[in-house]
């Protein structure tokens, strides 16, 4: 009995050992004015915002797909897009996802994730919309709405 249990645990570990995250990372910087409003929207992932003494916004987007091979991961991650719109007094960052389908969950599309790491000026006003994931905000001195 004990041997069967150990073998079952080993089989589970080996089955998941081939799963790993295929990751693509991109970085952008945006010049902003004082009291800029930063709006962030995404579906699945984590959003980490840190307010600093900088006078611009630094955006790092990290796209992930849990997969067993790089070709599949690269193809799936290409379906995720980061759209940014900079206007007077506002920067909008939107994570764009492929259309949701019922069969997509069974084909592994639920393995997609997009994380944002953002540095903003301390006086930036923040508005964050996220469906699944966590939001961490550090050092903000102005309005924050999550």
């Amino acid at each position: 009995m004990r041997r069967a249990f150990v073998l079952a645990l080993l089989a589970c570990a080996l089955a998941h050992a081939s799963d790993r995250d295929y990751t693509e990372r991109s970085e952008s910087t945006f010049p902003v004015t004082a009291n800029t409003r930063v709006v962030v929207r995404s579906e699945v992932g984590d959003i980490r915002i840190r307010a600093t003494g900088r006078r611009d916004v630094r955006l790092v987007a990290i796209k992930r797909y849990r997969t067993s091979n790089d070709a599949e991961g690269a193809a799936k991650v290409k379906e995720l897009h980061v759209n940014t719109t900079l206007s007077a007094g506002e920067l909008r960052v939107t994570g764009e996802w492929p259309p949701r389908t019922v069969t997509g969950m069974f084909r592994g599309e639920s393995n997609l994730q997009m994380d944002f790491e953002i540095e903003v000026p301390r006086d930036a006003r923040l508005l964050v919309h996220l469906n699944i994931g966590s939001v961490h905000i550090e050092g903000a001195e102005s309005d924050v709405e999550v």
Side-chain angles (χ1 to χ4, degrees):
M1 179 80 156
R2 180 184 235 174
R3 185 175 182 184
F5 178 73
V6 170
L7 288 174
L9 280 177
L10 183 59
C12 286
L14 289 174
H16 292 298
S18 63
D19 287 349
R20 62 182 186 81
D21 286 351
Y22 176 86
T23 304
E24 285 186 8
R25 181 183 176 102
S26 62
E27 186 173 330
S28 306
T29 303
F30 303 91
V32 294
T33 59
N35 300 311
T36 292
R37 181 178 178 195
V38 179
V39 180
V40 183
R41 293 180 180 272
S42 192
E43 290 292 321
V44 179
D46 296 330
I47 298 174
R48 289 177 288 286
I49 300 174
R50 189 165 63 106
T52 67
R54 64 186 310 135
R55 291 306 328 152
D56 56 9
V57 173
R58 178 178 167 267
L59 168 67
V60 177
I62 304 161
K63 302 174 188 178
R64 302 179 201 281
Y65 182 73
R66 178 153 310 269
T67 184
S68 59
N69 68 68
D70 286 347
E72 180 185 16
K76 288 295 186 181
V77 163
K78 283 189 191 302
E79 297 178 15
L80 298 175
H81 301 282
V82 178
N83 296 322
T84 56
T85 306
L86 180 62
S87 60
E90 183 175 273
L91 172 64
R92 289 186 169 270
V93 178
T94 305
E96 186 177 306
W97 294 73
R100 292 183 186 177
T101 63
V102 173
T103 58
M105 292 188 320
F106 298 109
R107 290 193 317 259
E109 290 175 8
S110 62
N111 290 339
L112 284 168
Q113 177 175 334
M114 187 171 1
D115 298 335
F116 290 116
E117 295 174 356
I118 305 170
E119 290 183 24
V120 300
R122 290 195 196 288
D123 62 359
R125 296 171 292 128
L126 304 172
L127 175 60
V128 179
H129 298 272
L130 179 64
N131 284 337
I132 300 171
S134 61
V135 176
H136 301 275
I137 299 173
E138 174 186 329
E141 295 179 354
S142 198
D143 298 338
V144 174
E145 184 178 337
V146 178

